[in-house]
Amino acid sequence: MTVRKFPARLVALLLITARCWAGAPSEYEVKAVFLFNFAQFVEWPAAAFADARSPFVIGVLGKDPFGPQLDTVVRGETVGHRSLVIERYRDVGELHNCNILFIARTELAQLPHILEVLKGRSVLTVTDAEDGDPAGVMIQLVNRSNRIKLRIDVGAARAGSLVISSKLLRPAEIVGGEG
Amino acid sequence: MASNAAPIRRTLMNVLLLTSGAVMLTTCLAFGAYDFLTYRRQALHNLATLGQAIAANSTAALAFENPEDAREVLAALKADPHVVAATLYTQAGASFASYPPARAGIRPAVALQDGYRFESDYLIGVQPVVQGARRMGTLYLKSDLGALYEWLQSFGLIGALVLAIAYVVAYLLATHLQRYISQPILTLTDTVSVIAEQRDYTVRAARPEGYEFGLLTDAFNHMLERVEETRARLQSQLGRLDLLHRITRATSERQDLPSIFQVVLRSLEDELRIDFGCLCRYDAKADAGSLSVEAIGARSLEHALEPVISMQSRIPIDQNGLARCVAGHLVYEPDVSTIEFAFPQRFARAGLKSLVLAPLLVEKRVFGVLAVARRPANAFSSAECEFLRHLSEHVALASNQAQLHGDLQSAYDDLRQSQHTAAQQERLRALGQMASGIAHDINNAISPITLYTESLLEREPNLSDRTRGYLVTIQRAIEDVAETVSRMREFYRAREPDMNLGRVALNRLIQQVIDLTRARWSDMPLQKGIVIQLQSELSAELPDIMGAEAEIRDALTNLLFNAVDAMPEGGVVTLRTGARLTKSDEDAVPIVYVEVADTGVGMNEETRRRCLEPFYTTKGERGTGLGLAMVYGMVRRHSAQLDIDSVAGQGTTMRLSFVPALTTSLVAEHHPTALHMSHGLRLLLVDDDPLLIKSLREVLEEDGHSIVVADGGQNGINTFCAAVQGPEPFSLVITDLGMPYVDGRKVAAAVKASSPSTPVILLTGWGRRLIAENDVPACVDRVLSKPPRLIELRTALAELTPVSTQTRRQAQ
């Protein structure tokens, strides 16, 4: 019995060690995956795309905190049959066809303006602002004791004609339901 | 009965129950297998559904790395207690969340193939977790098979319950339904066992419902009928065979035809139940063939509505069945009333309608007919006819054997009789030889007495009457002696040619006998104090008979002596004569009879039968056994009849019956006065008996002859030869026959040789025999028997010598 259990434990130990060597994923690494994953759980209306061949665009507004991480995550991926494109904006006016817009912390100050611009457009807005109340942003990524949590403003999403999967809502914190 | 019938019932029950049991079991197993497979599929499906639901709900948790949420989702598995383990793996293969939580990381995801399957005792599901087209990870599910086992358990339980109930129902149904098959068979079996036990083939099985069973029972009953028929036929056949056997045995024990016939008829009446039976004999030779009835069954006689046939009646054979029957065929008339011939009509009138005529055949020859009849028409079966045919063969055979036996018996009796007669003849012949020798000597011895007595009576005129009377008695006695001795050897002969038949007056003869024997029946018994009374009842008008007086006298004397001897205590002797007609009806002839009756001891059967045999005597030493034999000889010689009536203890009557003489006598009375006397002859007398020579010489010399005597044959021849050439030749030679060395024949031959004309008289004690046997020698002119009687001598001399010789002699 002891002899049999020994390899199993050994394997488990080796796996844990490997993971430690590889290093735990950084915060933005995780957030990059989350951004990509939002594409899986949210439905955009057809009007959000110029045509059927239009790529799925993930945009980053403001100072890009991901570095190369985001590109690494989406490389080679598709959303449905659409290819994935990462676009970076310094200003909200730059964006044309964007589906997911990550609003960096640097742009929080201009948030009302940004939201104003995006109003009526089917753009999933995501921010990772830790403090304050980024009202109007659809999904807020919150770091709680080293785990990234979601806070979703259902009303904002509905205003943007986006349908957020209930699955996404399960692990998230829901706000502004009435909006 | 139930135990007997159990096998078929049990077998039927077993068949029904096994069949239904097998069907039910197969059905249960089939359903079970089907349900099992369905259940497995269902289990897989259920697990897949569960897996898919869990996986779908886990995508977000995986995508946004929320293990708590994932665990929450997995915790829903609690609802299914059989899911023992579940693990959610990330796409990279790391364990993300587990259920139950304690068992995290139970299995590395890399080794898992997608899909749901049974592995050993578990149901394993590996469900990809996919959001849209993107795979987020893998859900591993492990469910134990407890549900399956529970299902199996409940299924088995319900199955067993259903089986049990179904079996009970099937049993009840089978118990009820098997009767439809077993009951008819058991009924048949019962019938069969009844038949087997009681051997009663008249039993019939009841016909059950149902076509095939009815058919089977009908066939069975039909077979029983056939068996019964066959059995009855065999039984009657056996009975008839037995009857035939018994009759055959009974007949074989009998040897006479009447009793054989009676046995056959009685057996037929008793056993074959015939109403009439008779046996007839057929004689083909007699008047163109007719039957004579030999025997009629006893009961057949009783029936006699109208006497069909009576015993010994003759039945003519007309052109009816009888003609065919005597031709050797068995004839069966089923109804005689339709036949017009006389013989069948006799039966019809007597109320006997069916008639069978069976021929009695021996060696293809019909010698009789067996006729049996019954009252109803068509009453004889062909088997009975066949039986009667066999029986008639046996009867014929037995009858033939009886007849052969009878023939053999009578042949044997004849043979024995012949043998007896031959022995008796032989005995008599020996006696005769002996007697003739004695007779010869006696004749010689009494010759002088005869000669002298005769001579005295003739030549002495001065004899007193008394002397003359004595001499006459002597002469008669001597004559009787001579007769007696000459008859001694001849009493067995039939009538002899030389027997002197004369008229005999029986009454006179009886008086003589009474006189002669007075001493014997009166004086001698009186000395012993016995009184014998003698009565004579003589018929006055008695015809004479023809006979030899001396013989008859002897016979009567013998009978009288026997009568006296038969009465040792005294009694009455009756001598009776009479004349009557013989009893034989048609040509009744008159007869004359003499009876000698006594009141003595009588004779028993054996004595009565044997009393006529020579040497048979009941008198011990005193008897010679010749008396009655001589009487019988006399009776035969006289063609008379001897009847003996004797009752033991009451007396005997001996009756001699003679044919009376014709009124005119055919035999001339011998007349001594007509004698022609010769004188003066020269005679040569040759004899070896000096006494005879002396007496003869003296008698002849007194007649005036000159006598030369020669005392022997040779001597005589010499004397004659010496004289024949001389001056005085002998004119006649008298020679004795029996002499030593040279007998009378030689003497006669020698005389004739030297002088053929000289007559020769032969004197002989065997004289009568010589005459009887025609043995007179050629050289002898006359034979005279001893004792010579003077009168005979004189006659012979006178006849043989010519007168010339005598006259010449006288002249000289």
Side-chain angles (χ1 to χ4, degrees), chain A residues 36-37 77 147 167-168 170-171, chain B residues 60 63-67 69:
Chain A
F36 170 69
N37 280 348
E77 296 283 351
R147 289 197 72 92
K167 297 176 189 174
L168 185 60
R170 270 181 52 84
Chain B
F64 302 102
E65 298 199 356
N66 192 341
D69 185 40

Side-chain angles (χ1 to χ4, degrees), chain B residues 96-396:
Chain B
F96 182 71
S98 285
Y99 167 85
R103 299 183 61 175
I106 189 169
R107 218 157 170 191
V110 284
L112 297 172
Q113 291 281 329
D114 289 350
Y116 294 84
R117 57 193 165 271
F118 288 94
E119 278 184 11
S120 62
D121 280 344
Y122 294 97
L123 180 58
I124 302 296
V126 178
Q127 174 70 42
V129 180
V130 177
Q131 180 61 44
R134 190 182 151 82
R135 179 162 184 159
M136 301 287 174
T138 302
L139 174 67
Y140 171 81
L141 282 172
K142 183 176 181 181
S143 170
D144 65 18
L145 295 179
L148 190 59
Y149 292 148
E150 279 168 18
W151 176 85
L152 273 178
Q153 207 174 348
S154 62
F155 184 87
L157 217 66
I158 291 170
L161 196 68
V162 167
L163 269 179
I165 292 170
Y167 195 84
V168 168
V169 171
Y171 179 82
L172 292 176
L173 278 175
T175 309
H176 182 68
L177 293 179
Q178 55 86 21
R179 290 175 210 271
Y180 288 104
I181 295 171
S182 66
Q183 202 54 49
I185 294 175
L186 289 177
T187 310
L188 275 184
T189 318
D190 286 354
T191 312
V192 168
S193 62
V194 165
I195 289 166
E197 279 167 20
Q198 304 178 357
R199 291 174 180 277
D200 179 6
Y201 295 95
T202 56
V203 174
R204 294 288 176 270
R207 196 178 190 284
E209 300 295 321
Y211 182 65
E212 281 90 351
F213 281 122
L215 217 59
L216 179 64
T217 309
D218 284 349
F220 180 73
N221 284 341
H222 184 63
M223 186 193 74
L224 277 180
E225 272 165 34
R226 296 286 299 276
V227 168
E228 172 66 16
E229 268 172 36
T230 311
R231 193 165 154 278
R233 219 166 38 228
L234 274 179
Q235 200 86 39
S236 65
Q237 196 81 22
L238 209 62
R240 281 194 293 274
L241 265 182
D242 181 51
L243 175 59
L244 187 63
H245 174 68
R246 273 184 289 140
I247 293 179
T248 307
R249 216 166 54 174
T251 52
S252 70
E253 285 166 0
R254 288 165 171 75
Q255 298 295 357
D256 58 320
L257 280 179
S259 94
I260 287 177
F261 286 173
Q262 275 309 325
V263 162
V264 170
L265 290 174
R266 199 170 58 233
S267 304
L268 284 179
E269 282 174 347
D270 290 349
E271 310 276 350
L272 206 63
R273 304 276 169 218
I274 60 166
D275 293 318
F276 177 85
C278 75
L279 274 155
C280 310
R281 281 187 85 153
Y282 172 62
D283 190 359
K285 293 167 210 150
D287 49 6
S290 70
L291 291 171
S292 61
V293 180
E294 291 284 324
I296 299 176
R299 202 179 305 152
S300 309
L301 286 172
E302 287 169 22
H303 281 164
L305 303 171
E306 170 183 341
V308 182
I309 308 169
S310 56
M311 283 291 286
Q312 303 301 338
S313 67
R314 298 192 80 78
I315 304 165
I317 293 172
D318 37 19
Q319 287 305 307
N320 52 32
L322 283 174
R324 270 185 293 147
C325 186
V326 296
H329 303 289
L330 181 120
V331 178
Y332 173 38
E333 303 288 6
D335 191 356
V336 288
S337 59
T338 61
I339 302 170
E340 289 174 5
F341 292 105
F343 182 65
Q345 277 303 316
R346 280 205 241 178
F347 283 86
R349 280 198 300 277
L352 301 163
K353 279 190 176 167
S354 37
L355 169 68
V356 176
L357 300 169
L360 305 183
L361 265 168
V362 171
E363 291 163 356
K364 298 182 179 171
R365 189 176 59 80
V366 176
F367 82 95
V369 169
L370 166 67
V372 297
R374 280 180 181 154
R375 283 187 182 141
N378 296 307
F380 289 94
S381 67
S382 64
E384 283 174 326
C385 285
E386 189 64 13
F387 165 74
L388 285 170
R389 199 172 62 74
H390 283 142
L391 177 67
S392 68
E393 279 175 24
H394 280 282
V395 172

Side-chain angles (χ1 to χ4, degrees), chain A residues 93-115:
Chain A
E94 290 176 16
L95 61 96
H96 297 286
N97 293 315
C98 181
N99 299 103
I100 297 172
L101 180 65
F102 182 76
I103 302 168
R105 289 176 185 171
T106 54
E107 304 301 317
L108 285 175
Q110 297 184 45
L111 193 58
H113 170 68
I114 294 168
L115 295 174

Side-chain angles (χ1 to χ4, degrees), chain A residues 58-117:
Chain A
I58 297 173
V60 179
L61 181 62
K63 189 181 183 265
D64 185 358
F66 299 106
Q69 304 284 356
L70 189 59
D71 294 296
T72 309
V73 167
V74 301
R75 187 175 298 134
E77 296 283 351
T78 56
V79 177
H81 53 274
R82 296 174 195 274
S83 55
L84 255 172
V85 176
I86 304 295
E87 290 182 355
R88 291 179 174 85
Y89 312 110
R90 272 170 310 199
D91 182 64
V92 73
E94 290 176 16
L95 61 96
H96 297 286
N97 293 315
C98 181
N99 299 103
I100 297 172
L101 180 65
F102 182 76
I103 302 168
R105 289 176 185 171
T106 54
E107 304 301 317
L108 285 175
Q110 297 184 45
L111 193 58
H113 170 68
I114 294 168
L115 295 174
E116 188 60 35
V117 172

Side-chain angles (χ1 to χ4, degrees), chain B residues 524-565:
Chain B
M524 282 163 64
L526 271 175
Q527 288 173 5
K528 299 180 200 167
I530 299 166
V531 176
I532 289 177
Q533 192 184 345
L534 192 136
Q535 297 177 347
S536 55
E537 301 171 4
L538 305 179
S539 170
E541 300 284 321
L542 196 67
D544 285 351
I545 61 163
M546 292 301 294
E549 193 175 303
E551 283 196 30
I552 297 171
R553 188 163 52 231
D554 281 354
L556 289 172
T557 306
N558 262 315
L559 290 179
L560 188 56
F561 286 174
N562 280 348
V564 171
D565 288 340

Side-chain angles (χ1 to χ4, degrees), chain B residues 484-526:
Chain B
T484 303
V485 295
S486 69
R487 271 200 322 273
M488 265 175 66
R489 63 175 184 84
E490 294 165 348
F491 56 78
Y492 60 90
R493 286 171 180 269
R495 187 195 307 214
E496 296 182 8
D498 70 325
M499 195 167 72
N500 290 321
L501 291 180
R503 282 181 164 277
V504 178
L506 284 174
N507 285 348
R508 183 172 54 81
L509 203 59
I510 284 172
Q511 202 53 58
Q512 285 179 3
V513 168
I514 291 171
D515 291 344
L516 273 170
T517 57
R518 184 175 302 277
R520 182 72 171 77
W521 57 260
S522 174
D523 304 347
M524 282 163 64
L526 271 175

